[in-house]
Amino acid sequence: MSKHNFYPVELKIQIIKRFLNGESAASLREEFKIP
């Protein structure tokens, strides 16, 4: 069984803004422990 992680909306928005500002998806996944 896989574990489902819950990410608050505020965190999602912060991550998306950083991605749109040019940060790489790989670095954001590593920082926020997103599979």
Side-chain angles (χ1 to χ4, degrees):
M1 276 216 177
S2 65
K3 179 183 174 190
H4 295 279
N5 294 325
F6 175 75
Y7 298 101
V9 174
E10 295 83 11
L11 179 61
K12 292 178 185 179
I13 292 170
Q14 177 187 6
I15 293 170
I16 292 168
K17 284 182 180 178
R18 288 175 59 178
F19 177 72
L20 293 175
N21 283 329
E23 290 193 48
S24 72
S27 68
L28 291 169
R29 278 197 310 266
E30 185 177 320
E31 181 179 341
F32 292 100
K33 312 270 188 287
I34 300 170

